[in-house]
């Protein structure tokens, strides 16, 4: 992954409900448009904070993280029945071609951004599938999240997805974050 992974010693912060001020569960679900037949991946799932919001609305959800310790913490919290944990880097996902109906990334794009990861997402996402990305913006004030030099702008993210063969359906800057919704 990119510059760093989230410090496991700060994992409790991933369960802080104040995270919803940057992305509410309702906004994520609206952008993702889940249904009970979908197979979805949460890229950089951490302790499952947003995974838990999506899980009741899909048939199968892969919680993907590079840190096994994050999955251990998620397991202690209790995994929803539809969730399966996967230890993997986004650049090397253990899924068949066209295996996913959708994927989402909440505050982790900066950790895996790059042509190799986006090409891998294009490989595992079925035609017509979508990816919802919300991350810390390079244009934000930097009061929360990673250092500003490790962030991307919405324009950079949208261009990178387009270069990987995705169509940009929605790209918005916000105060500290951006939202980018793309499809194949």
């Amino acid at each position: 992954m990119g510059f760093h992974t989230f410090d496991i010693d700060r994992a409790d912060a991933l369960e802080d409900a104040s995270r919803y001020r940057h992305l509410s569960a309702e906004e994520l679900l609206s952008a993702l448009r889940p249904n009970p037949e979908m197979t979805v991946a949460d890229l950089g799932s951490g302790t499952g904070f947003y995974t838990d919001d999506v899980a009741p609305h899909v048939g199968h959800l892969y919680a993907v993280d590079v840190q096994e310790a994050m999955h251990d913490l998620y397991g202690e919290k209790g995994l929803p029945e539809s969730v399966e944990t996967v230890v993997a880097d986004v650049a090397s996902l253990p899924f068949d071609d066209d295996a996913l109906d959708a994927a989402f990334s909440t505050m982790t794009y900066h950790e895996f951004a790059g042509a190799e990861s986006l090409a891998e997402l294009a490989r595992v996402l079925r035609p017509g599938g979508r990816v919802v990305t919300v991350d810390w913006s390079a244009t934000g004030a930097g009061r929360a999240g990673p250092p500003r030099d490790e962030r991307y702008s919405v324009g950079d993210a949208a261009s990178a997805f387009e270069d990987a063969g995705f169509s940009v359906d929605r790209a918005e800057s916000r105060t500290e974050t951006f939202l980018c919704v793309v499809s194949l």
Side-chain angles (χ1 to χ4, degrees), residues 23-102:
L23 173 67
S24 70
E26 293 80 10
E27 182 181 23
L28 175 59
L29 292 169
S30 175
L32 192 62
R33 292 190 246 165
N35 70 59
E37 286 78 44
M38 290 175 75
T39 299
V40 177
D42 179 355
L43 309 170
S45 59
T47 58
F49 183 78
Y50 285 106
T51 316
D52 286 344
D53 292 325
V54 175
H57 304 281
V58 299
H60 195 84
L61 201 162
Y62 293 106
V64 179
D65 205 285
V66 294
Q67 298 183 77
E68 180 76 42
M70 287 291 185
H71 289 323
D72 292 343
L73 292 172
Y74 191 10
E76 290 172 14
K77 186 173 80 168
L79 292 174
E81 193 172 305
S82 63
V83 173
E84 177 181 344
T85 59
V86 175
V87 177
D89 188 308
V90 175
S92 183
L93 295 168
F95 308 131
D96 292 335
D97 293 357
D98 304 334
L100 302 176
D101 298 298

Side-chain angles (χ1 to χ4, degrees), residues 139-153:
T139 60
R143 288 184 287 275
R148 289 181 71 201
D149 65 348
E150 294 182 18
R151 301 173 179 208
Y152 295 84
S153 71

Side-chain angles (χ1 to χ4, degrees), residues 109-178:
Y109 176 78
H110 63 277
E111 294 182 12
F112 66 80
E116 188 177 352
S117 294
L118 299 185
E120 182 69 346
L121 271 175
R123 181 189 69 78
V124 300
L125 199 67
R126 69 162 176 77
R130 65 187 4 218
V131 178
V132 175
T133 303
V134 176
D135 199 13
W136 302 103
S137 177
T139 60
R143 288 184 287 275
R148 289 181 71 201
D149 65 348
E150 294 182 18
R151 301 173 179 208
Y152 295 84
S153 71
V154 68
D156 292 337
S159 292
F161 275 109
E162 285 177 328
D163 290 347
F166 291 87
S167 296
V168 176
D169 302 323
R170 192 169 154 199
E172 302 169 3
S173 287
R174 291 103 84 78
T175 305
E176 285 287 338
T177 62
F178 68 80

